[in-house]
Amino acid sequence: MHPDRVIQTYELIFVKEGVLSLEEAGREFDLQAGETLLLWPGRRHRGVRPFAPGLSLLLGTFRTPGGSG
């Protein structure tokens, strides 16, 4: 399951295979294969269901010059 946390960077998630279920600031997302989600810095996010078998994803974190995160 994706950890429950607040980080100070953006987090970009791309689901290659399967479904990833997340919540950010009270809003739930079920990301399907081929979908992308951008999580914002300073907002609480967490997994809402355990990772399904076969889930494959790419995850990156980044900051913007002179901006938030």
Side-chain angles (χ1 to χ4, degrees):
M1 185 174 295
H2 191 80
D4 186 333
R5 62 188 178 179
V6 176
I7 59 175
Q8 298 308 313
T9 56
Y10 290 93
E11 187 168 304
L12 182 62
I13 301 169
F14 172 74
V15 176
K16 294 172 61 176
E17 294 180 30
V19 178
L20 175 64
S21 298
L22 292 175
E23 176 189 339
E24 180 189 55
R27 184 170 175 198
E28 192 170 318
F29 301 92
D30 289 314
L31 298 173
Q32 308 289 322
E35 294 183 327
T36 303
L37 179 66
L38 178 64
L39 301 175
W40 289 77
R43 293 183 186 172
R44 178 177 177 250
H45 67 272
R46 65 183 185 95
V48 294
R49 283 181 273 296
F51 293 142
L55 175 65
S56 176
L57 58 89
L58 299 172
L59 184 142
T61 60
F62 64 95
R63 300 178 190 276
T64 57
S68 297

